[in-house]
Amino acid sequence: MWRSEFRLQAPGHEARGMFGSGMLVVNPPWGLDQRLAAAMGRVAPLLSGAASYRGDWWVGE
């Protein structure tokens, strides 16, 4: 299982609403982790200075 999370900003104490998005992929296609990390690495800096991406394996093969 592969976890992917994208945040537009860090959650604050006073702020409300959604700060980002994520997905959990069961049995992802080969190379998804590298392709997604490369794409989000280019997109995140364009959206805001606080945007960030994180992806990791929850369960390996």
Side-chain angles (χ1 to χ4, degrees):
M1 283 193 288
W2 173 254
R3 176 179 62 173
S4 176
E5 295 179 348
F6 182 77
R7 287 189 175 178
L8 290 174
Q9 62 182 346
H13 298 292
E14 300 292 325
R16 299 177 79 158
M18 199 163 136
F19 300 100
S21 181
M23 67 179 168
L24 188 62
V25 181
V26 177
N27 196 20
W30 183 83
L32 175 70
D33 51 345
Q34 293 97 3
R35 291 191 308 259
L36 202 51
M40 291 295 109
R42 287 179 279 184
V43 170
L46 299 174
L47 295 176
S48 80
S52 65
Y53 170 75
R54 177 175 73 171
D56 60 350
W57 287 98
W58 271 16
V59 178
E61 293 194 32

mmCIF file of all heavy atoms in Angstrom, residues 5-52:
data_model
loop_
_atom_site.group_PDB
_atom_site.id
_atom_site.type_symbol
_atom_site.label_atom_id
_atom_site.label_comp_id
_atom_site.label_asym_id
_atom_site.label_seq_id
_atom_site.Cartn_x
_atom_site.Cartn_y
_atom_site.Cartn_z
ATOM 1 N N GLU A 5 0.377 12.165 0.297
ATOM 2 C CA GLU A 5 -0.282 13.313 0.919
ATOM 3 C C GLU A 5 0.273 14.612 0.345
ATOM 4 O O GLU A 5 1.477 14.766 0.207
ATOM 5 C CB GLU A 5 -0.049 13.324 2.428
ATOM 6 C CG GLU A 5 -0.675 12.167 3.148
ATOM 7 C CD GLU A 5 -0.395 12.192 4.641
ATOM 8 O OE1 GLU A 5 0.460 12.973 5.088
ATOM 9 O OE2 GLU A 5 -1.046 11.417 5.357
ATOM 10 N N PHE A 6 -0.620 15.520 0.036
ATOM 11 C CA PHE A 6 -0.242 16.843 -0.479
ATOM 12 C C PHE A 6 -0.902 17.896 0.401
ATOM 13 O O PHE A 6 -2.105 17.849 0.630
ATOM 14 C CB PHE A 6 -0.717 17.001 -1.928
ATOM 15 C CG PHE A 6 -0.321 18.312 -2.527
ATOM 16 C CD1 PHE A 6 0.971 18.516 -2.949
ATOM 17 C CD2 PHE A 6 -1.231 19.331 -2.647
ATOM 18 C CE1 PHE A 6 1.349 19.729 -3.490
ATOM 19 C CE2 PHE A 6 -0.863 20.544 -3.189
ATOM 20 C CZ PHE A 6 0.440 20.739 -3.612
ATOM 21 N N ARG A 7 -0.115 18.822 0.911
ATOM 22 C CA ARG A 7 -0.649 19.898 1.752
ATOM 23 C C ARG A 7 -0.353 21.246 1.112
ATOM 24 O O ARG A 7 0.752 21.507 0.666
ATOM 25 C CB ARG A 7 -0.004 19.889 3.133
ATOM 26 C CG ARG A 7 -0.473 18.783 3.993
ATOM 27 C CD ARG A 7 0.036 18.982 5.385
ATOM 28 N NE ARG A 7 -0.526 17.956 6.251
ATOM 29 C CZ ARG A 7 -0.242 17.848 7.509
ATOM 30 N NH1 ARG A 7 0.587 18.701 8.069
ATOM 31 N NH2 ARG A 7 -0.788 16.894 8.230
ATOM 32 N N LEU A 8 -1.376 22.105 1.117
ATOM 33 C CA LEU A 8 -1.193 23.461 0.614
ATOM 34 C C LEU A 8 -0.633 24.372 1.691
ATOM 35 O O LEU A 8 0.051 25.338 1.396
ATOM 36 C CB LEU A 8 -2.519 24.026 0.103
ATOM 37 C CG LEU A 8 -3.020 23.378 -1.177
ATOM 38 C CD1 LEU A 8 -4.401 23.900 -1.516
ATOM 39 C CD2 LEU A 8 -2.053 23.632 -2.313
ATOM 40 N N GLN A 9 -0.943 24.058 2.945
ATOM 41 C CA GLN A 9 -0.424 24.838 4.068
ATOM 42 C C GLN A 9 -0.426 23.960 5.308
ATOM 43 O O GLN A 9 -1.128 22.967 5.365
ATOM 44 C CB GLN A 9 -1.278 26.068 4.308
ATOM 45 C CG GLN A 9 -2.717 25.745 4.669
ATOM 46 C CD GLN A 9 -3.549 26.996 4.846
ATOM 47 O OE1 GLN A 9 -3.040 28.074 4.959
ATOM 48 N NE2 GLN A 9 -4.856 26.826 4.865
ATOM 49 N N ALA A 10 0.365 24.346 6.290
ATOM 50 C CA ALA A 10 0.360 23.618 7.560
ATOM 51 C C ALA A 10 -0.882 24.020 8.338
ATOM 52 O O ALA A 10 -1.257 25.196 8.355
ATOM 53 C CB ALA A 10 1.619 23.948 8.350
ATOM 54 N N PRO A 11 -1.546 23.068 8.983
ATOM 55 C CA PRO A 11 -2.735 23.428 9.762
ATOM 56 C C PRO A 11 -2.376 24.324 10.934
ATOM 57 O O PRO A 11 -1.394 24.081 11.627
ATOM 58 C CB PRO A 11 -3.282 22.083 10.230
ATOM 59 C CG PRO A 11 -2.200 21.098 10.020
ATOM 60 C CD PRO A 11 -1.268 21.650 9.004
ATOM 61 N N GLY A 12 -3.153 25.373 11.123
ATOM 62 C CA GLY A 12 -2.938 26.290 12.235
ATOM 63 C C GLY A 12 -3.965 26.051 13.322
ATOM 64 O O GLY A 12 -4.941 25.324 13.146
ATOM 65 N N HIS A 13 -3.754 26.662 14.465
ATOM 66 C CA HIS A 13 -4.676 26.475 15.589
ATOM 67 C C HIS A 13 -6.016 27.147 15.342
ATOM 68 O O HIS A 13 -7.046 26.654 15.738
ATOM 69 C CB HIS A 13 -4.044 27.016 16.870
ATOM 70 C CG HIS A 13 -2.794 26.287 17.241
ATOM 71 N ND1 HIS A 13 -2.797 24.980 17.661
ATOM 72 C CD2 HIS A 13 -1.500 26.671 17.247
ATOM 73 C CE1 HIS A 13 -1.556 24.603 17.913
ATOM 74 N NE2 HIS A 13 -0.753 25.604 17.663
ATOM 75 N N GLU A 14 -6.015 28.283 14.689
ATOM 76 C CA GLU A 14 -7.245 29.045 14.459
ATOM 77 C C GLU A 14 -7.890 28.736 13.112
ATOM 78 O O GLU A 14 -9.049 29.045 12.908
ATOM 79 C CB GLU A 14 -6.950 30.545 14.540
ATOM 80 C CG GLU A 14 -6.407 30.995 15.879
ATOM 81 C CD GLU A 14 -7.447 30.879 16.979
ATOM 82 O OE1 GLU A 14 -8.640 31.110 16.716
ATOM 83 O OE2 GLU A 14 -7.064 30.536 18.110
ATOM 84 N N ALA A 15 -7.132 28.160 12.207
ATOM 85 C CA ALA A 15 -7.639 27.929 10.850
ATOM 86 C C ALA A 15 -8.630 26.773 10.828
ATOM 87 O O ALA A 15 -8.577 25.868 11.640
ATOM 88 C CB ALA A 15 -6.476 27.637 9.911
ATOM 89 N N ARG A 16 -9.542 26.838 9.864
ATOM 90 C CA ARG A 16 -10.538 25.788 9.689
ATOM 91 C C ARG A 16 -10.546 25.352 8.233
ATOM 92 O O ARG A 16 -10.143 26.092 7.357
ATOM 93 C CB ARG A 16 -11.909 26.314 10.069
ATOM 94 C CG ARG A 16 -11.968 26.758 11.505
ATOM 95 C CD ARG A 16 -13.295 27.327 11.799
ATOM 96 N NE ARG A 16 -14.217 26.219 12.003
ATOM 97 C CZ ARG A 16 -15.338 26.312 12.669
ATOM 98 N NH1 ARG A 16 -15.694 27.470 13.181
ATOM 99 N NH2 ARG A 16 -16.109 25.285 12.825
ATOM 100 N N GLY A 17 -11.052 24.182 7.999
ATOM 101 C CA GLY A 17 -11.208 23.709 6.630
ATOM 102 C C GLY A 17 -10.164 22.686 6.245
ATOM 103 O O GLY A 17 -9.418 22.170 7.060
ATOM 104 N N MET A 18 -10.113 22.418 4.967
ATOM 105 C CA MET A 18 -9.220 21.406 4.428
ATOM 106 C C MET A 18 -7.873 22.030 4.081
ATOM 107 O O MET A 18 -7.813 23.091 3.461
ATOM 108 C CB MET A 18 -9.862 20.812 3.179
ATOM 109 C CG MET A 18 -9.304 19.512 2.781
ATOM 110 S SD MET A 18 -10.474 18.736 1.648
ATOM 111 C CE MET A 18 -9.366 18.159 0.426
ATOM 112 N N PHE A 19 -6.786 21.374 4.454
ATOM 113 C CA PHE A 19 -5.439 21.884 4.224
ATOM 114 C C PHE A 19 -4.709 21.159 3.105
ATOM 115 O O PHE A 19 -3.647 21.574 2.695
ATOM 116 C CB PHE A 19 -4.605 21.773 5.503
ATOM 117 C CG PHE A 19 -5.187 22.544 6.635
ATOM 118 C CD1 PHE A 19 -5.926 21.915 7.608
ATOM 119 C CD2 PHE A 19 -5.016 23.903 6.708
ATOM 120 C CE1 PHE A 19 -6.473 22.622 8.649
ATOM 121 C CE2 PHE A 19 -5.561 24.631 7.744
ATOM 122 C CZ PHE A 19 -6.289 23.992 8.726
ATOM 123 N N GLY A 20 -5.271 20.063 2.659
ATOM 124 C CA GLY A 20 -4.608 19.285 1.624
ATOM 125 C C GLY A 20 -5.455 18.102 1.217
ATOM 126 O O GLY A 20 -6.660 18.069 1.440
ATOM 127 N N SER A 21 -4.786 17.124 0.633
ATOM 128 C CA SER A 21 -5.478 15.954 0.130
ATOM 129 C C SER A 21 -4.543 14.762 0.213
ATOM 130 O O SER A 21 -3.327 14.915 0.239
ATOM 131 C CB SER A 21 -5.887 16.200 -1.323
ATOM 132 O OG SER A 21 -6.576 15.097 -1.834
ATOM 133 N N GLY A 22 -5.110 13.571 0.234
ATOM 134 C CA GLY A 22 -4.289 12.375 0.283
ATOM 135 C C GLY A 22 -5.001 11.189 -0.323
ATOM 136 O O GLY A 22 -6.207 11.226 -0.579
ATOM 137 N N MET A 23 -4.231 10.137 -0.566
ATOM 138 C CA MET A 23 -4.828 8.910 -1.070
ATOM 139 C C MET A 23 -3.985 7.731 -0.611
ATOM 140 O O MET A 23 -2.788 7.856 -0.358
ATOM 141 C CB MET A 23 -4.962 8.926 -2.583
ATOM 142 C CG MET A 23 -3.687 8.913 -3.341
ATOM 143 S SD MET A 23 -4.035 8.895 -5.106
ATOM 144 C CE MET A 23 -2.412 9.234 -5.738
ATOM 145 N N LEU A 24 -4.642 6.614 -0.493
ATOM 146 C CA LEU A 24 -4.002 5.356 -0.157
ATOM 147 C C LEU A 24 -4.261 4.419 -1.332
ATOM 148 O O LEU A 24 -5.412 4.158 -1.686
ATOM 149 C CB LEU A 24 -4.592 4.788 1.129
ATOM 150 C CG LEU A 24 -3.920 3.572 1.714
ATOM 151 C CD1 LEU A 24 -2.482 3.875 2.101
ATOM 152 C CD2 LEU A 24 -4.686 3.077 2.922
ATOM 153 N N VAL A 25 -3.197 3.937 -1.955
ATOM 154 C CA VAL A 25 -3.323 3.104 -3.148
ATOM 155 C C VAL A 25 -2.933 1.670 -2.800
ATOM 156 O O VAL A 25 -1.814 1.420 -2.351
ATOM 157 C CB VAL A 25 -2.422 3.623 -4.294
ATOM 158 C CG1 VAL A 25 -2.589 2.772 -5.535
ATOM 159 C CG2 VAL A 25 -2.702 5.079 -4.584
ATOM 160 N N VAL A 26 -3.868 0.769 -2.977
ATOM 161 C CA VAL A 26 -3.614 -0.650 -2.748
ATOM 162 C C VAL A 26 -3.137 -1.258 -4.061
ATOM 163 O O VAL A 26 -3.782 -1.103 -5.092
ATOM 164 C CB VAL A 26 -4.893 -1.359 -2.250
ATOM 165 C CG1 VAL A 26 -4.654 -2.850 -2.082
ATOM 166 C CG2 VAL A 26 -5.378 -0.730 -0.962
ATOM 167 N N ASN A 27 -2.004 -1.917 -4.020
ATOM 168 C CA ASN A 27 -1.406 -2.548 -5.192
ATOM 169 C C ASN A 27 -1.173 -1.533 -6.322
ATOM 170 O O ASN A 27 -1.708 -1.674 -7.425
ATOM 171 C CB ASN A 27 -2.267 -3.712 -5.679
ATOM 172 C CG ASN A 27 -1.519 -4.617 -6.631
ATOM 173 O OD1 ASN A 27 -0.292 -4.619 -6.655
ATOM 174 N ND2 ASN A 27 -2.260 -5.375 -7.420
ATOM 175 N N PRO A 28 -0.359 -0.500 -6.058
ATOM 176 C CA PRO A 28 -0.117 0.519 -7.094
ATOM 177 C C PRO A 28 0.703 -0.042 -8.251
ATOM 178 O O PRO A 28 1.440 -1.010 -8.089
ATOM 179 C CB PRO A 28 0.687 1.582 -6.341
ATOM 180 C CG PRO A 28 1.342 0.849 -5.234
ATOM 181 C CD PRO A 28 0.407 -0.258 -4.855
ATOM 182 N N PRO A 29 0.563 0.574 -9.415
ATOM 183 C CA PRO A 29 1.382 0.137 -10.549
ATOM 184 C C PRO A 29 2.856 0.424 -10.287
ATOM 185 O O PRO A 29 3.200 1.362 -9.567
ATOM 186 C CB PRO A 29 0.864 0.965 -11.723
ATOM 187 C CG PRO A 29 0.056 2.049 -11.144
ATOM 188 C CD PRO A 29 -0.341 1.655 -9.765
ATOM 189 N N TRP A 30 3.721 -0.374 -10.897
ATOM 190 C CA TRP A 30 5.155 -0.232 -10.706
ATOM 191 C C TRP A 30 5.591 1.178 -11.109
ATOM 192 O O TRP A 30 5.194 1.696 -12.152
ATOM 193 C CB TRP A 30 5.902 -1.267 -11.545
ATOM 194 C CG TRP A 30 7.373 -1.220 -11.336
ATOM 195 C CD1 TRP A 30 8.078 -1.820 -10.332
ATOM 196 C CD2 TRP A 30 8.321 -0.522 -12.134
ATOM 197 N NE1 TRP A 30 9.406 -1.532 -10.462
ATOM 198 C CE2 TRP A 30 9.590 -0.728 -11.566
ATOM 199 C CE3 TRP A 30 8.222 0.283 -13.261
ATOM 200 C CZ2 TRP A 30 10.750 -0.186 -12.085
ATOM 201 C CZ3 TRP A 30 9.365 0.832 -13.783
ATOM 202 C CH2 TRP A 30 10.622 0.596 -13.207
ATOM 203 N N GLY A 31 6.386 1.834 -10.266
ATOM 204 C CA GLY A 31 6.938 3.148 -10.564
ATOM 205 C C GLY A 31 6.047 4.314 -10.175
ATOM 206 O O GLY A 31 6.436 5.469 -10.350
ATOM 207 N N LEU A 32 4.865 4.039 -9.632
ATOM 208 C CA LEU A 32 3.972 5.132 -9.245
ATOM 209 C C LEU A 32 4.631 6.061 -8.225
ATOM 210 O O LEU A 32 4.523 7.270 -8.337
ATOM 211 C CB LEU A 32 2.656 4.594 -8.674
ATOM 212 C CG LEU A 32 1.702 5.665 -8.139
ATOM 213 C CD1 LEU A 32 1.122 6.473 -9.284
ATOM 214 C CD2 LEU A 32 0.597 5.044 -7.299
ATOM 215 N N ASP A 33 5.333 5.494 -7.254
ATOM 216 C CA ASP A 33 5.941 6.318 -6.217
ATOM 217 C C ASP A 33 6.941 7.320 -6.799
ATOM 218 O O ASP A 33 6.909 8.504 -6.457
ATOM 219 C CB ASP A 33 6.592 5.452 -5.138
ATOM 220 C CG ASP A 33 7.534 4.392 -5.689
ATOM 221 O OD1 ASP A 33 7.505 4.117 -6.897
ATOM 222 O OD2 ASP A 33 8.304 3.841 -4.876
ATOM 223 N N GLN A 34 7.792 6.893 -7.715
ATOM 224 C CA GLN A 34 8.771 7.811 -8.315
ATOM 225 C C GLN A 34 8.102 8.854 -9.210
ATOM 226 O O GLN A 34 8.464 10.026 -9.183
ATOM 227 C CB GLN A 34 9.821 7.045 -9.141
ATOM 228 C CG GLN A 34 10.729 6.183 -8.320
ATOM 229 C CD GLN A 34 10.254 4.745 -8.295
ATOM 230 O OE1 GLN A 34 9.275 4.372 -8.935
ATOM 231 N NE2 GLN A 34 10.949 3.917 -7.525
ATOM 232 N N ARG A 35 7.131 8.433 -10.007
ATOM 233 C CA ARG A 35 6.459 9.367 -10.916
ATOM 234 C C ARG A 35 5.657 10.414 -10.152
ATOM 235 O O ARG A 35 5.667 11.591 -10.497
ATOM 236 C CB ARG A 35 5.566 8.605 -11.892
ATOM 237 C CG ARG A 35 6.364 7.791 -12.896
ATOM 238 C CD ARG A 35 5.496 7.248 -14.011
ATOM 239 N NE ARG A 35 4.340 6.520 -13.536
ATOM 240 C CZ ARG A 35 4.232 5.201 -13.488
ATOM 241 N NH1 ARG A 35 5.235 4.449 -13.871
ATOM 242 N NH2 ARG A 35 3.125 4.626 -13.067
ATOM 243 N N LEU A 36 4.979 9.981 -9.103
ATOM 244 C CA LEU A 36 4.184 10.911 -8.306
ATOM 245 C C LEU A 36 5.081 11.889 -7.547
ATOM 246 O O LEU A 36 4.791 13.081 -7.493
ATOM 247 C CB LEU A 36 3.298 10.128 -7.336
ATOM 248 C CG LEU A 36 2.077 10.818 -6.797
ATOM 249 C CD1 LEU A 36 1.230 11.413 -7.906
ATOM 250 C CD2 LEU A 36 1.244 9.842 -5.987
ATOM 251 N N ALA A 37 6.166 11.404 -6.982
ATOM 252 C CA ALA A 37 7.099 12.279 -6.267
ATOM 253 C C ALA A 37 7.706 13.318 -7.224
ATOM 254 O O ALA A 37 7.845 14.494 -6.868
ATOM 255 C CB ALA A 37 8.201 11.461 -5.605
ATOM 256 N N ALA A 38 8.046 12.910 -8.425
ATOM 257 C CA ALA A 38 8.612 13.848 -9.402
ATOM 258 C C ALA A 38 7.590 14.905 -9.800
ATOM 259 O O ALA A 38 7.910 16.097 -9.869
ATOM 260 C CB ALA A 38 9.096 13.091 -10.640
ATOM 261 N N ALA A 39 6.358 14.490 -10.049
ATOM 262 C CA ALA A 39 5.315 15.434 -10.453
ATOM 263 C C ALA A 39 4.990 16.420 -9.330
ATOM 264 O O ALA A 39 4.909 17.627 -9.560
ATOM 265 C CB ALA A 39 4.056 14.680 -10.869
ATOM 266 N N MET A 40 4.815 15.916 -8.123
ATOM 267 C CA MET A 40 4.473 16.791 -6.997
ATOM 268 C C MET A 40 5.634 17.697 -6.617
ATOM 269 O O MET A 40 5.439 18.811 -6.145
ATOM 270 C CB MET A 40 4.039 15.970 -5.786
ATOM 271 C CG MET A 40 2.718 15.271 -5.971
ATOM 272 S SD MET A 40 1.345 16.432 -6.131
ATOM 273 C CE MET A 40 0.937 16.256 -7.841
ATOM 274 N N GLY A 41 6.864 17.235 -6.849
ATOM 275 C CA GLY A 41 8.036 18.070 -6.609
ATOM 276 C C GLY A 41 8.061 19.301 -7.507
ATOM 277 O O GLY A 41 8.582 20.347 -7.138
ATOM 278 N N ARG A 42 7.479 19.195 -8.687
ATOM 279 C CA ARG A 42 7.397 20.341 -9.598
ATOM 280 C C ARG A 42 6.177 21.206 -9.326
ATOM 281 O O ARG A 42 6.222 22.423 -9.503
ATOM 282 C CB ARG A 42 7.371 19.855 -11.046
ATOM 283 C CG ARG A 42 8.724 19.345 -11.508
ATOM 284 C CD ARG A 42 8.645 18.866 -12.913
ATOM 285 N NE ARG A 42 8.070 17.504 -12.824
ATOM 286 C CZ ARG A 42 7.895 16.688 -13.829
ATOM 287 N NH1 ARG A 42 8.214 17.066 -15.036
ATOM 288 N NH2 ARG A 42 7.401 15.490 -13.654
ATOM 289 N N VAL A 43 5.074 20.598 -8.901
ATOM 290 C CA VAL A 43 3.816 21.329 -8.700
ATOM 291 C C VAL A 43 3.808 22.114 -7.382
ATOM 292 O O VAL A 43 3.371 23.265 -7.343
ATOM 293 C CB VAL A 43 2.620 20.352 -8.739
ATOM 294 C CG1 VAL A 43 1.345 21.026 -8.294
ATOM 295 C CG2 VAL A 43 2.462 19.784 -10.132
ATOM 296 N N ALA A 44 4.286 21.516 -6.305
ATOM 297 C CA ALA A 44 4.202 22.133 -4.972
ATOM 298 C C ALA A 44 4.802 23.542 -4.916
ATOM 299 O O ALA A 44 4.157 24.454 -4.406
ATOM 300 C CB ALA A 44 4.852 21.233 -3.926
ATOM 301 N N PRO A 45 5.990 23.792 -5.443
ATOM 302 C CA PRO A 45 6.544 25.150 -5.362
ATOM 303 C C PRO A 45 5.744 26.185 -6.156
ATOM 304 O O PRO A 45 5.794 27.374 -5.860
ATOM 305 C CB PRO A 45 7.947 25.014 -5.956
ATOM 306 C CG PRO A 45 8.267 23.577 -5.932
ATOM 307 C CD PRO A 45 6.966 22.846 -5.987
ATOM 308 N N LEU A 46 4.995 25.746 -7.144
ATOM 309 C CA LEU A 46 4.212 26.679 -7.954
ATOM 310 C C LEU A 46 2.953 27.155 -7.234
ATOM 311 O O LEU A 46 2.422 28.215 -7.547
ATOM 312 C CB LEU A 46 3.815 26.027 -9.280
ATOM 313 C CG LEU A 46 4.972 25.602 -10.188
ATOM 314 C CD1 LEU A 46 4.436 24.854 -11.387
ATOM 315 C CD2 LEU A 46 5.782 26.810 -10.610
ATOM 316 N N LEU A 47 2.450 26.360 -6.293
ATOM 317 C CA LEU A 47 1.188 26.679 -5.633
ATOM 318 C C LEU A 47 1.361 27.621 -4.450
ATOM 319 O O LEU A 47 0.569 28.529 -4.261
ATOM 320 C CB LEU A 47 0.490 25.396 -5.187
ATOM 321 C CG LEU A 47 0.057 24.505 -6.350
ATOM 322 C CD1 LEU A 47 -0.527 23.213 -5.831
ATOM 323 C CD2 LEU A 47 -0.951 25.223 -7.229
ATOM 324 N N SER A 48 2.336 27.379 -3.602
ATOM 325 C CA SER A 48 2.600 28.282 -2.481
ATOM 326 C C SER A 48 3.909 27.877 -1.822
ATOM 327 O O SER A 48 4.384 26.759 -2.001
ATOM 328 C CB SER A 48 1.466 28.249 -1.453
ATOM 329 O OG SER A 48 1.580 27.138 -0.607
ATOM 330 N N GLY A 49 4.457 28.785 -1.043
ATOM 331 C CA GLY A 49 5.701 28.499 -0.345
ATOM 332 C C GLY A 49 5.528 27.463 0.744
ATOM 333 O O GLY A 49 6.477 26.810 1.153
ATOM 334 N N ALA A 50 4.302 27.281 1.235
ATOM 335 C CA ALA A 50 4.051 26.335 2.314
ATOM 336 C C ALA A 50 3.588 24.972 1.809
ATOM 337 O O ALA A 50 3.395 24.058 2.597
ATOM 338 C CB ALA A 50 2.995 26.911 3.261
ATOM 339 N N ALA A 51 3.408 24.809 0.502
ATOM 340 C CA ALA A 51 2.929 23.540 -0.043
ATOM 341 C C ALA A 51 3.998 22.456 0.135
ATOM 342 O O ALA A 51 5.193 22.713 0.020
ATOM 343 C CB ALA A 51 2.589 23.693 -1.521
ATOM 344 N N SER A 52 3.533 21.242 0.423
ATOM 345 C CA SER A 52 4.472 20.139 0.601
ATOM 346 C C SER A 52 3.835 18.830 0.138
ATOM 347 O O SER A 52 2.617 18.692 0.085
ATOM 348 C CB SER A 52 4.890 20.017 2.062
ATOM 349 O OG SER A 52 3.792 19.672 2.876
#
